[in-house]
Structures are given as structure tokens and as C-alpha cells.
Amino acid sequence: MAKSKKKSKSSSNTICQNKRARHDFILDNFTEAGLVLEGWEVKSIRAGKCHLTDSFVIIHKDEAWLTGCNITPLNEASTHVLCTPRRDRKLLLNRKEIDKFQAKADQKGYTMVALEMYWKGPRVKINMALGLSLIHISEPTRLLSIS
């Protein structure tokens, strides 16, 4: 008798992380946002070809956009579509959340940073936060704010 092999599901739904953001920013106001993707992007994300390094969130015309995220296209999945790996992707947030983040981000030194991309059911979500850049803070102030 042949035993049927079951696919082992990974317990982590994390696709990719922006580990550098945790070192470069003091993070505050974490939130989750949905992501608008094209078909070839979903296939590439399932294959693990996604990077969040140097990605951030901007608000343009009262909409939130993820900028700098690199999703490398698969050769076999995107032969008939013109792919742009570093295009801006729209984030799905409520109006209150967008207004709250925009008011905080307008303050000096604050940036909206994408921290993590993960699966939540069949959908791709982004974990993002407001970050105060450590580059603009002097060393004694930095030590006080961390502890």
C-alpha cells in the first residue's frame, strides 16, 4: 500500500518582512491594510518573490499607496502581461485611518513604513506603522525613548 503524502502547511503566514525598519525607526500606531494586486503579483507572492526593503506608504489624493515594494514577476506566469515590479500599489484603509495617519505623518520626522506582508485567508495584508526616524534624533534622546 502506498501512503498518501500530505502537504505540510507552514504555521507562519508571513510572506516578507522589512527588518531594517525596526532598526531605523521608533515605531508607533500599528495597523493592518489590504493590498490591491494584479494576478501575476499574487502568483509571484505565492512563490516568495517579494521584498519590502525601502518600502513606505504615501497618501496621495486621499488614498494610501505602498511605494517601493518589489514583486519580481515569474517568467512562466506573466508572459502575456507587461509587468512593472516596483509599481505603486493601492492600500485599502478606512477614511478615519487615512486621516489619522496623514495628521501624524505631517509632523516633522514621521514616516509611514510597511513592516510585514502576510496572508490572512486568501487575501494579502500589510502591517504598517508610523515611524520616527532615528537618523534625526541625537544619541541621548534615542536612548531615553527606547528605554
Side-chain angles (χ1 to χ4, degrees), residues 1-5:
M1 273 200 233
K3 291 185 178 181
S4 62
K5 293 184 179 179

Side-chain angles (χ1 to χ4, degrees), residues 14-69:
T14 301
I15 300 166
C16 59
Q17 291 181 340
N18 188 358
K19 294 179 182 178
R20 185 175 175 186
R22 298 203 184 266
H23 297 285
D24 292 346
F25 296 96
I26 297 172
L27 300 175
D28 188 27
N29 290 349
F30 294 87
T31 191
E32 174 184 80
L35 192 60
V36 177
L37 297 171
E38 295 178 358
W40 67 268
E41 292 173 325
V42 176
K43 291 179 182 180
S44 295
I45 287 172
R46 287 192 191 277
K49 299 196 176 261
C50 176
H51 302 285
L52 277 179
T53 53
D54 300 331
S55 64
F56 57 95
V57 178
I58 60 170
I59 296 178
H60 179 67
K61 294 185 179 178
D62 294 331
E63 294 179 338
W65 295 87
L66 178 66
T67 304
C69 176

Side-chain angles (χ1 to χ4, degrees), residues 13 15 35 37 42 45-46 118-125:
N13 292 330
I15 300 166
L35 192 60
L37 297 171
V42 176
I45 287 172
R46 287 192 191 277
Y118 56 92
W119 293 103
K120 190 170 187 181
R123 292 173 172 59
V124 177
K125 302 283 185 173

Side-chain angles (χ1 to χ4, degrees), residues 116-133:
E116 176 180 33
M117 185 182 291
Y118 56 92
W119 293 103
K120 190 170 187 181
R123 292 173 172 59
V124 177
K125 302 283 185 173
I126 292 284
N127 188 11
M128 57 185 255
L130 277 171
L132 182 61
S133 178

Side-chain angles (χ1 to χ4, degrees), residues 44-110:
S44 295
I45 287 172
R46 287 192 191 277
K49 299 196 176 261
C50 176
H51 302 285
L52 277 179
T53 53
D54 300 331
S55 64
F56 57 95
V57 178
I58 60 170
I59 296 178
H60 179 67
K61 294 185 179 178
D62 294 331
E63 294 179 338
W65 295 87
L66 178 66
T67 304
C69 176
N70 187 12
I71 300 176
T72 307
L74 295 174
N75 291 334
E76 60 272 2
S78 55
T79 56
H80 62 284
V81 179
L82 182 63
C83 303
T84 52
R86 294 187 66 91
R87 74 176 183 91
D88 293 346
R89 292 164 180 89
K90 187 175 179 179
L91 294 177
L92 303 173
L93 289 168
N94 292 328
R95 169 67 42 216
K96 290 179 184 178
E97 291 175 322
I98 292 174
D99 292 340
K100 178 179 77 170
F101 273 98
Q102 187 170 17
K104 277 283 209 172
D106 288 342
Q107 294 178 5
K108 187 176 181 180
Y110 276 100

